[in-house]
Amino acid sequence: RVYTKKPITQCVERTGRKPVTTRWLDINKGDDISRDYRSRLVAQEIKMDKREDLFAATPPLEAIKALFSCAVTEGRGYEKGKREEGMCLDFIDVSRAYFHAEALREVYVKLPEEDDEEGMCGLLGKSLYGTRDAAQNWNEAYTSFMVKEGFTKGQGSSCCFYQQKKDVRAVVHGDDFTLLGKKKEL
């Protein structure tokens, strides 16, 4: 459900240009001996237009350092003599993060070779790596989720969250979530 097939003529009529090209990007997550290839379909829209309205939020390094510091600080992360009952750090890496984000603008892409159909292209329903606003769409998706789960978005950084009821803090960098809280709350 990343895209739905549409006629290329619709793309040209609505956008004034051809569909954005795509390609498969293969990355070896292993090493030269134990290869572990992952393939990802990416759009090649990045260099098409210069836009000033795009923004990919990243947290300050100090936010992560603060979580680590709180975790090991007596009186904050744990009570004296009860370290094992204290707060824990949790690390979550969201797989295929951008596919969890709805496409917020009309973007048409060239179909990958194995799904190609004469005269057709794909209208994105989900964000695709390589589109200009994919990071912003992902930011909107995880922020909406976090707020729905009772977190408050940080004032100094839109990548920092706090859930007061459960006393859980979170810092998000791209698709990596770092959380601090009691084990049962995490």
Coordinates of all heavy atoms in Angstrom, one line a residue, residues 3 5 14 35 37 47-48 53 56 78 80 107 110 116 121-122 139 141-142 146 153 162 167 176 186:
Y3 N 2.0 2.6 -2.8 CA 1.5 3.4 -3.9 C 0.3 2.7 -4.5 O 0.1 1.5 -4.4 CB 2.5 3.7 -5.0 CG 3.1 2.5 -5.6 CD1 2.5 1.8 -6.6 CD2 4.4 2.0 -5.1 CE1 3.1 0.6 -7.2 CE2 4.9 0.8 -5.7 CZ 4.3 0.2 -6.7 OH 4.8 -0.9 -7.3
K5 N -1.5 2.4 -8.4 CA -1.2 2.7 -9.9 C -2.2 3.7 -10.4 O -3.4 3.6 -10.2 CB -1.3 1.4 -10.7 CG -0.1 0.5 -10.3 CD -0.1 -0.8 -11.2 CE 1.1 -1.7 -10.8 NZ 1.1 -2.9 -11.7
R14 N -1.7 16.8 -13.4 CA -1.8 17.3 -12.0 C -0.5 18.0 -11.5 O -0.6 18.9 -10.6 CB -2.3 16.2 -11.0 CG -3.7 15.7 -11.5 CD -4.3 14.8 -10.5 NE -4.4 15.3 -9.2 CZ -5.5 15.8 -8.6 NH1 -6.6 15.9 -9.3 NH2 -5.4 16.2 -7.3
R35 N 27.5 -11.6 4.8 CA 26.7 -10.6 4.1 C 25.2 -10.7 4.5 O 24.7 -11.8 4.7 CB 26.9 -10.7 2.6 CG 28.3 -10.4 2.2 CD 28.3 -10.3 0.7 NE 29.6 -9.7 0.3 CZ 30.6 -10.4 -0.4 NH1 30.3 -11.6 -0.8 NH2 31.7 -9.8 -0.6
Y37 N 22.2 -8.5 3.1 CA 21.7 -7.4 2.2 C 20.2 -7.1 2.5 O 19.4 -8.0 2.8 CB 21.8 -7.8 0.8 CG 23.2 -7.6 0.3 CD1 24.2 -8.6 0.2 CD2 23.7 -6.3 -0.1 CE1 25.5 -8.4 -0.2 CE2 25.0 -6.1 -0.6 CZ 25.8 -7.1 -0.6 OH 27.1 -6.9 -1.0
K47 N 16.9 16.2 -5.5 CA 17.6 17.3 -6.2 C 16.6 18.0 -7.2 O 17.1 18.8 -8.0 CB 18.8 16.8 -6.9 CG 19.9 16.4 -5.9 CD 21.2 15.9 -6.6 CE 22.2 15.5 -5.6 NZ 23.4 15.1 -6.2
M48 N 15.4 17.6 -7.2 CA 14.5 18.2 -8.2 C 14.2 19.7 -8.1 O 14.3 20.4 -9.0 CB 13.1 17.4 -8.2 CG 13.3 16.0 -8.8 SD 11.7 15.2 -8.9 CE 10.8 16.1 -10.1
D53 N 10.9 25.2 2.6 CA 9.9 24.8 3.6 C 10.1 23.4 4.2 O 9.2 23.0 5.0 CB 8.5 25.0 3.0 CG 8.3 24.1 1.8 OD1 9.2 23.8 1.1 OD2 7.1 23.7 1.6
A56 N 13.8 18.6 8.7 CA 13.9 17.3 9.4 C 14.4 17.5 10.8 O 15.5 17.9 11.0 CB 14.8 16.4 8.6
Y78 N 17.2 6.2 40.4 CA 17.0 5.1 41.4 C 17.2 5.7 42.8 O 17.8 6.8 43.0 CB 18.0 4.0 41.1 CG 19.4 4.4 41.4 CD1 20.0 4.1 42.6 CD2 20.2 5.0 40.4 CE1 21.4 4.5 42.8 CE2 21.5 5.3 40.6 CZ 22.1 5.1 41.8 OH 23.4 5.5 42.1
K80 N 18.6 5.3 46.7 CA 19.7 4.8 47.3 C 19.5 3.3 47.8 O 18.5 3.1 48.4 CB 20.2 5.6 48.5 CG 21.5 5.2 49.1 CD 21.9 6.2 50.2 CE 23.3 5.8 50.6 NZ 23.9 6.8 51.4
V107 N 2.4 12.9 -4.8 CA 3.7 12.5 -5.4 C 3.5 11.3 -6.2 O 3.0 10.3 -5.7 CB 4.8 12.3 -4.4 CG1 6.1 11.9 -5.0 CG2 5.0 13.5 -3.5
K110 N 7.8 6.6 -10.6 CA 8.0 5.6 -11.7 C 7.9 4.2 -11.0 O 8.5 4.0 -9.9 CB 9.3 5.8 -12.3 CG 9.5 4.9 -13.5 CD 10.8 5.3 -14.2 CE 11.1 4.6 -15.5 NZ 11.0 3.2 -15.5
D116 N 6.2 -2.8 -13.2 CA 5.9 -1.9 -14.3 C 4.8 -2.3 -15.1 O 4.5 -3.5 -15.4 CB 7.2 -1.7 -15.1 CG 7.1 -0.5 -16.0 OD1 6.4 0.5 -15.6 OD2 7.8 -0.5 -17.1
C121 N 2.0 4.8 -13.5 CA 3.0 5.2 -12.5 C 2.3 5.0 -11.1 O 1.2 4.4 -11.1 CB 3.4 6.7 -12.7 SG 2.0 7.8 -12.5
G122 N 3.0 5.3 -10.0 CA 2.4 5.1 -8.7 C 2.2 6.4 -8.0 O 3.0 7.3 -7.9
N139 N 8.0 12.6 11.0 CA 7.9 13.4 12.2 C 6.5 13.6 12.6 O 6.1 13.5 13.8 CB 8.7 14.7 12.0 CG 8.7 15.5 13.2 OD1 7.8 16.3 13.5 ND2 9.8 15.5 14.0
A141 N 3.9 11.7 11.8 CA 3.3 10.5 12.2 C 3.7 10.1 13.6 O 2.8 9.7 14.4 CB 3.7 9.4 11.2
Y142 N 5.0 10.1 14.0 CA 5.3 9.7 15.3 C 4.9 10.7 16.4 O 4.6 10.3 17.5 CB 6.8 9.3 15.4 CG 7.8 10.4 15.5 CD1 8.0 11.2 16.6 CD2 8.7 10.6 14.4 CE1 8.9 12.2 16.7 CE2 9.7 11.5 14.5 CZ 9.8 12.3 15.6 OH 10.7 13.3 15.7
M146 N 2.7 9.7 19.6 CA 3.2 10.0 20.9 C 2.1 10.8 21.7 O 1.8 10.5 22.9 CB 4.5 10.7 20.9 CG 5.6 9.8 20.3 SD 6.1 8.4 21.3 CE 7.1 9.1 22.5
K153 N 4.8 17.0 23.9 CA 5.9 17.3 23.0 C 6.8 18.4 23.7 O 6.2 19.3 24.3 CB 5.4 17.8 21.6 CG 6.5 18.0 20.6 CD 6.0 18.2 19.2 CE 5.3 19.5 19.1 NZ 5.0 19.9 17.8
Y162 N 7.5 13.8 27.0 CA 7.4 13.4 28.4 C 6.0 12.9 28.6 O 5.0 13.6 28.2 CB 7.8 14.5 29.3 CG 7.6 14.2 30.8 CD1 8.3 13.1 31.3 CD2 6.8 14.9 31.6 CE1 8.2 12.8 32.7 CE2 6.6 14.6 32.9 CZ 7.4 13.6 33.5 OH 7.2 13.2 34.8
D167 N 5.7 8.8 34.0 CA 7.1 9.3 34.2 C 8.0 8.7 33.2 O 9.1 8.1 33.6 CB 7.5 9.1 35.6 CG 8.8 9.9 36.0 OD1 9.0 10.9 35.3 OD2 9.5 9.5 36.9
D176 N 15.0 6.1 15.5 CA 15.5 5.6 16.7 C 14.9 6.3 17.9 O 15.0 7.5 18.0 CB 17.0 5.7 16.8 CG 17.7 4.9 15.7 OD1 17.3 3.7 15.4 OD2 18.6 5.4 15.0
L186 N 7.8 1.1 30.5 CA 8.3 1.0 29.2 C 7.7 -0.1 28.4 O 7.5 0.0 27.2 CB 9.9 0.8 29.3 CG 10.7 2.0 29.9 CD1 12.1 1.6 30.0 CD2 10.5 3.2 29.0

